[in-house]
Amino acid sequence: MSPEEIHESNVRFQDAWRFFARGSPTGEVLEQPGVSIAASNVPWSMLNAAFLPAPVDTEAALSHAATAAAHYFAPRRQGWMLALCEDWVPPALRARAASLLAPLGLVPSVVATGMVAERLLPASRPLPRMEMRAASDASVRGDLADLNSLSYDVALVTGRQVFDVPAVFSGDNLGFVGYRLEQAATCASVMRANDVAYVSMVATLPPHRQLGCAEAVIRHALTEAHRTWGLERTVLHATPAGLPVYRRMGYRPVTRFQFYMAPPAPGR
Protein backbone atom coordinates (compact mmCIF):
# COMPACT_ATOMS: atom_id res chain seq x y z
CA MET A 1 0.00 0.00 0.00
CA SER A 2 1.17 3.53 -0.60
CA PRO A 3 2.88 5.49 2.19
CA GLU A 4 0.44 8.33 1.53
CA GLU A 5 -2.61 6.16 2.24
CA ILE A 6 -0.98 4.64 5.31
CA HIS A 7 -0.27 8.15 6.57
CA GLU A 8 -3.87 9.17 5.81
CA SER A 9 -5.22 6.20 7.78
CA ASN A 10 -3.13 7.17 10.80
CA VAL A 11 -4.01 10.86 10.63
CA ARG A 12 -7.75 10.30 10.24
CA PHE A 13 -7.79 7.81 13.10
CA GLN A 14 -6.11 10.35 15.35
CA ASP A 15 -8.37 13.16 14.13
CA ALA A 16 -11.46 11.19 15.11
CA TRP A 17 -10.19 10.30 18.59
CA ARG A 18 -9.18 13.91 19.19
CA PHE A 19 -12.70 14.95 18.22
CA PHE A 20 -14.21 12.52 20.75
CA ALA A 21 -11.80 13.67 23.45
CA ARG A 22 -12.63 17.33 22.86
CA GLY A 23 -16.32 16.51 23.05
CA SER A 24 -15.93 14.75 26.39
CA PRO A 25 -16.46 16.96 29.47
CA THR A 26 -13.34 15.37 30.98
CA GLY A 27 -11.35 14.96 27.76
CA GLU A 28 -7.90 16.20 26.90
CA VAL A 29 -5.76 16.30 23.76
CA LEU A 30 -2.04 16.89 23.91
CA GLU A 31 1.18 16.26 22.05
CA GLN A 32 4.21 14.96 23.91
CA PRO A 33 7.63 14.12 22.47
CA GLY A 34 7.11 11.01 20.37
CA VAL A 35 3.46 10.37 21.30
CA SER A 36 0.03 11.90 20.70
CA ILE A 37 -2.69 11.53 23.35
CA ALA A 38 -6.44 11.80 22.82
CA ALA A 39 -8.06 10.91 26.13
CA SER A 40 -11.78 11.15 26.79
CA ASN A 41 -10.84 10.19 30.39
CA VAL A 42 -13.76 7.79 30.78
CA PRO A 43 -13.88 4.16 31.98
CA TRP A 44 -13.48 2.83 28.44
CA SER A 45 -9.90 2.00 27.53
CA MET A 46 -10.40 2.42 23.79
CA LEU A 47 -11.43 6.07 24.23
CA ASN A 48 -8.27 6.87 26.23
CA ALA A 49 -5.77 6.53 23.42
CA ALA A 50 -2.13 7.11 22.63
CA PHE A 51 -0.79 7.16 19.06
CA LEU A 52 2.55 7.38 17.33
CA PRO A 53 2.67 10.70 15.44
CA ALA A 54 5.16 9.24 12.94
CA PRO A 55 6.90 5.94 12.12
CA VAL A 56 9.47 4.62 14.59
CA ASP A 57 12.38 2.35 13.75
CA THR A 58 14.08 1.70 17.09
CA GLU A 59 13.15 -0.04 20.30
CA ALA A 60 14.14 3.09 22.22
CA ALA A 61 11.72 5.28 20.27
CA LEU A 62 8.78 2.91 20.79
CA SER A 63 9.59 2.44 24.46
CA HIS A 64 9.88 6.21 24.96
CA ALA A 65 6.48 6.83 23.34
CA ALA A 66 4.72 4.15 25.37
CA THR A 67 6.38 5.23 28.63
CA ALA A 68 5.39 8.86 28.08
CA ALA A 69 1.78 7.78 27.52
CA ALA A 70 1.85 5.57 30.62
CA HIS A 71 3.08 8.50 32.71
CA TYR A 72 0.13 10.55 31.49
CA PHE A 73 -2.51 7.89 32.19
CA ALA A 74 -1.15 6.45 35.47
CA PRO A 75 -2.33 9.30 37.76
CA ARG A 76 -5.81 9.12 36.19
CA ARG A 77 -6.07 5.39 36.98
CA GLN A 78 -8.13 4.77 33.81
CA GLY A 79 -7.61 1.97 31.35
CA TRP A 80 -6.00 3.11 28.10
CA MET A 81 -4.69 1.87 24.78
CA LEU A 82 -1.72 2.34 22.49
CA ALA A 83 -2.71 2.09 18.82
CA LEU A 84 0.25 0.79 16.83
CA CYS A 85 0.17 0.96 13.03
CA GLU A 86 1.97 -2.13 11.77
CA ASP A 87 3.38 -0.28 8.76
CA TRP A 88 4.97 2.33 11.01
CA VAL A 89 7.04 -0.26 12.89
CA PRO A 90 9.70 -2.49 11.27
CA PRO A 91 8.84 -6.23 11.32
CA ALA A 92 11.60 -7.14 13.79
CA LEU A 93 10.50 -4.45 16.24
CA ARG A 94 6.85 -5.36 15.73
CA ALA A 95 7.66 -8.93 16.77
CA ARG A 96 9.20 -7.66 20.02
CA ALA A 97 6.52 -5.08 20.75
CA ALA A 98 4.42 -7.25 23.08
CA SER A 99 7.32 -8.06 25.38
CA LEU A 100 8.58 -4.47 25.23
CA LEU A 101 5.19 -3.03 26.22
CA ALA A 102 4.20 -5.66 28.80
CA PRO A 103 6.00 -3.96 31.74
CA LEU A 104 3.69 -0.96 31.20
CA GLY A 105 0.63 -3.18 31.58
CA LEU A 106 -0.10 -3.16 27.84
CA VAL A 107 -1.22 -6.41 26.24
CA PRO A 108 -2.23 -7.13 22.62
CA SER A 109 -5.97 -6.84 22.13
CA VAL A 110 -8.07 -5.87 19.11
CA VAL A 111 -6.73 -5.63 15.56
CA ALA A 112 -8.30 -3.02 13.26
CA THR A 113 -7.85 -2.66 9.51
CA GLY A 114 -7.53 0.82 8.05
CA MET A 115 -9.66 0.98 4.88
CA VAL A 116 -10.49 3.52 2.19
CA ALA A 117 -13.01 3.86 -0.63
CA GLU A 118 -12.91 6.51 -3.34
CA ARG A 119 -16.62 5.82 -3.86
CA LEU A 120 -19.00 3.11 -2.72
CA LEU A 121 -20.04 0.20 -4.90
CA PRO A 122 -23.78 -0.34 -5.46
CA ALA A 123 -25.41 -2.56 -2.85
CA SER A 124 -25.02 -6.23 -3.80
CA ARG A 125 -28.31 -7.27 -2.17
CA PRO A 126 -31.57 -5.65 -1.07
CA LEU A 127 -31.04 -3.80 2.20
CA PRO A 128 -33.63 -3.79 4.99
CA ARG A 129 -36.07 -0.94 5.19
CA MET A 130 -35.50 1.09 8.34
CA GLU A 131 -36.43 4.46 9.72
CA MET A 132 -33.27 6.58 9.90
CA ARG A 133 -33.12 9.26 12.57
CA ALA A 134 -30.39 11.84 13.18
CA ALA A 135 -28.53 11.95 16.50
CA SER A 136 -29.14 15.68 16.75
CA ASP A 137 -32.23 14.56 18.71
CA ALA A 138 -31.54 13.73 22.39
CA SER A 139 -33.44 10.43 22.43
CA VAL A 140 -31.70 9.24 19.25
CA ARG A 141 -28.34 10.26 20.66
CA GLY A 142 -29.04 8.14 23.74
CA ASP A 143 -29.96 5.17 21.54
CA LEU A 144 -26.71 5.55 19.58
CA ALA A 145 -24.73 5.59 22.83
CA ASP A 146 -26.53 2.50 24.12
CA LEU A 147 -26.04 0.59 20.85
CA ASN A 148 -22.29 1.15 21.07
CA SER A 149 -22.19 0.20 24.74
CA LEU A 150 -24.12 -3.03 24.21
CA SER A 151 -22.13 -3.99 21.11
CA TYR A 152 -18.72 -3.35 22.69
CA ASP A 153 -19.57 -4.65 26.18
CA VAL A 154 -19.26 -1.30 27.94
CA ALA A 155 -21.43 -0.02 30.79
CA LEU A 156 -24.37 2.00 29.51
CA VAL A 157 -23.48 4.95 31.73
CA THR A 158 -20.00 5.05 30.18
CA GLY A 159 -21.36 5.01 26.63
CA ARG A 160 -23.71 7.85 27.50
CA GLN A 161 -20.83 9.82 28.99
CA VAL A 162 -18.88 9.52 25.73
CA PHE A 163 -21.55 9.76 23.03
CA ASP A 164 -24.66 11.31 24.57
CA VAL A 165 -23.09 14.74 24.16
CA PRO A 166 -24.72 17.34 21.85
CA ALA A 167 -21.35 18.73 20.72
CA VAL A 168 -20.31 15.33 19.37
CA PHE A 169 -23.11 15.41 16.80
CA SER A 170 -22.97 18.96 15.59
CA GLY A 171 -20.85 20.68 12.99
CA ASP A 172 -18.34 18.20 11.59
CA ASN A 173 -19.94 14.94 12.79
CA LEU A 174 -23.28 13.45 11.80
CA GLY A 175 -24.77 10.48 13.64
CA PHE A 176 -27.69 8.26 12.67
CA VAL A 177 -29.67 5.40 14.19
CA GLY A 178 -31.61 2.89 12.10
CA TYR A 179 -34.85 1.66 13.67
CA ARG A 180 -36.20 -1.74 12.68
CA LEU A 181 -39.26 -3.46 14.12
CA GLU A 182 -39.73 -0.39 16.34
CA GLN A 183 -36.31 -0.98 17.96
CA ALA A 184 -33.02 0.89 17.71
CA ALA A 185 -31.16 -1.70 15.64
CA THR A 186 -28.00 -0.14 14.22
CA CYS A 187 -26.07 3.12 14.10
CA ALA A 188 -23.15 4.93 12.49
CA SER A 189 -21.58 8.35 12.37
CA VAL A 190 -19.61 10.14 9.69
CA MET A 191 -17.13 12.92 10.39
CA ARG A 192 -15.75 15.57 8.06
CA ALA A 193 -11.97 15.29 8.21
CA ASN A 194 -10.52 17.72 5.67
CA ASP A 195 -11.33 16.15 2.29
CA VAL A 196 -12.60 12.75 3.46
CA ALA A 197 -15.59 11.38 5.35
CA TYR A 198 -14.54 9.28 8.36
CA VAL A 199 -16.96 6.53 9.42
CA SER A 200 -17.14 5.48 13.08
CA MET A 201 -19.50 4.42 15.90
CA VAL A 202 -20.87 1.54 13.80
CA ALA A 203 -22.80 -0.89 16.00
CA THR A 204 -25.67 -3.34 15.47
CA LEU A 205 -27.60 -5.35 18.05
CA PRO A 206 -27.39 -9.17 17.63
CA PRO A 207 -31.03 -9.75 16.52
CA HIS A 208 -30.45 -7.39 13.58
CA ARG A 209 -27.06 -8.63 12.38
CA GLN A 210 -26.34 -10.40 9.07
CA LEU A 211 -29.28 -8.60 7.45
CA GLY A 212 -27.55 -5.57 5.94
CA CYS A 213 -28.63 -3.16 8.68
CA ALA A 214 -25.13 -1.77 9.28
CA GLU A 215 -24.57 -1.29 5.56
CA ALA A 216 -27.90 0.52 5.26
CA VAL A 217 -27.16 3.02 8.02
CA ILE A 218 -23.59 3.62 6.78
CA ARG A 219 -24.85 4.30 3.26
CA HIS A 220 -27.46 6.68 4.65
CA ALA A 221 -24.82 8.51 6.71
CA LEU A 222 -22.46 8.82 3.74
CA THR A 223 -25.26 10.05 1.49
CA GLU A 224 -25.92 12.80 4.02
CA ALA A 225 -22.19 13.57 4.22
CA HIS A 226 -22.04 13.93 0.46
CA ARG A 227 -25.14 16.12 0.42
CA THR A 228 -23.91 18.30 3.29
CA TRP A 229 -20.17 18.54 2.60
CA GLY A 230 -19.71 17.23 -0.94
CA LEU A 231 -17.39 14.45 0.25
CA GLU A 232 -17.15 11.08 -1.51
CA ARG A 233 -13.79 9.60 -0.48
CA THR A 234 -14.24 7.79 2.84
CA VAL A 235 -11.95 6.24 5.47
CA LEU A 236 -12.67 3.88 8.37
CA HIS A 237 -11.05 1.34 10.69
CA ALA A 238 -12.71 -2.07 10.67
CA THR A 239 -12.92 -4.81 13.25
CA PRO A 240 -12.53 -8.36 11.87
CA ALA A 241 -16.33 -8.77 12.05
CA GLY A 242 -16.88 -5.67 9.93
CA LEU A 243 -14.33 -6.47 7.20
CA PRO A 244 -16.67 -8.48 4.93
CA VAL A 245 -19.33 -5.77 5.11
CA TYR A 246 -16.91 -3.02 4.15
CA ARG A 247 -15.32 -5.02 1.34
CA ARG A 248 -18.77 -5.55 -0.22
CA MET A 249 -19.32 -1.80 -0.06
CA GLY A 250 -16.11 -1.08 -2.00
CA TYR A 251 -13.58 -0.41 0.75
CA ARG A 252 -10.04 -1.74 0.38
CA PRO A 253 -7.47 -2.29 3.15
CA VAL A 254 -4.43 -0.01 3.37
CA THR A 255 -2.88 -0.90 6.75
CA ARG A 256 -3.51 -2.61 10.10
CA PHE A 257 -3.42 -1.43 13.69
CA GLN A 258 -2.68 -3.54 16.73
CA PHE A 259 -4.29 -2.14 19.88
CA TYR A 260 -2.39 -2.71 23.10
CA MET A 261 -4.66 -2.30 26.14
CA ALA A 262 -3.80 -1.43 29.73
CA PRO A 263 -6.48 -2.13 32.36
CA PRO A 264 -7.65 0.46 34.89
CA ALA A 265 -5.77 0.67 38.17
CA PRO A 266 -6.88 -1.88 40.83
CA GLY A 267 -9.95 -0.67 42.64
CA ARG A 268 -10.84 1.80 39.90
Side-chain angles (χ1 to χ4, degrees):
M1 302 304 169
S2 74
E4 292 78 14
E5 288 187 332
I6 293 169
H7 177 78
E8 175 187 53
S9 190
N10 277 271
V11 170
R12 299 305 165 227
F13 199 171
Q14 296 182 38
D15 284 346
W17 258 242
R18 290 188 187 102
F19 181 87
F20 299 146
R22 292 188 179 109
S24 170
T26 56
E28 187 174 20
V29 174
L30 70 156
E31 300 294 327
Q32 297 192 343
V35 67
S36 300
I37 292 173
S40 293
N41 286 316
V42 295
W44 189 349
S45 298
M46 192 170 288
L47 270 297
N48 303 321
F51 300 91
L52 297 179
V56 298
D57 56 9
T58 67
E59 184 172 310
L62 178 57
S63 179
H64 174 79
T67 301
H71 286 167
Y72 170 84
F73 287 110
R76 292 154 179 81
R77 301 173 61 81
Q78 302 280 16
W80 62 285
M81 79 166 184
L82 175 66
L84 205 61
C85 176
E86 293 183 350
D87 287 298
W88 276 12
V89 180
L93 179 55
R94 194 188 317 154
R96 299 197 305 274
S99 59
L100 180 68
L101 300 174
L104 299 173
L106 291 162
V107 297
S109 181
V110 181
V111 172
T113 301
M115 308 186 81
V116 64
E118 282 74 22
R119 62 189 59 83
L120 298 187
L121 296 176
S124 60
R125 58 175 174 167
L127 299 178
R129 294 177 62 87
M130 292 185 292
E131 179 186 1
M132 301 295 184
R133 302 181 194 169
S136 52
D137 177 88
S139 65
V140 179
R141 194 166 56 245
D143 286 340
L144 185 147
D146 292 349
L147 281 165
N148 274 268
S149 297
L150 293 167
S151 296
Y152 295 104
D153 196 24
V154 174
L156 292 180
V157 66
T158 299
R160 292 271 178 138
Q161 186 179 351
V162 176
F163 295 132
D164 191 4
V165 179
V168 172
F169 298 104
S170 62
D172 287 338
N173 192 51
L174 305 174
F176 299 92
V177 174
Y179 292 82
R180 178 175 176 269
L181 304 177
E182 300 183 354
Q183 181 185 30
T186 187
C187 63
S189 80
V190 58
M191 181 184 303
R192 177 169 58 179
N194 288 341
D195 57 348
V196 304
Y198 183 82
V199 176
S200 66
M201 302 186 210
V202 179
T204 305
L205 291 184
H208 307 282
R209 292 175 184 168
Q210 308 299 320
L211 301 173
C213 292
E215 180 175 347
V217 75
I218 293 168
R219 286 183 180 276
H220 177 82
L222 288 172
T223 296
E224 289 300 302
H226 182 70
R227 183 183 64 82
T228 304
W229 303 318
L231 299 178
E232 192 164 21
R233 181 179 174 85
T234 169
V235 172
L236 56 78
H237 293 83
T239 64
L243 268 173
V245 176
Y246 300 126
R247 285 184 183 275
R248 283 198 303 268
M249 294 176 68
Y251 286 90
R252 54 184 173 80
V254 297
T255 190
R256 293 205 328 163
F257 292 79
Q258 174 69 64
F259 297 167
Y260 291 84
M261 297 288 189
R268 177 67 182 180

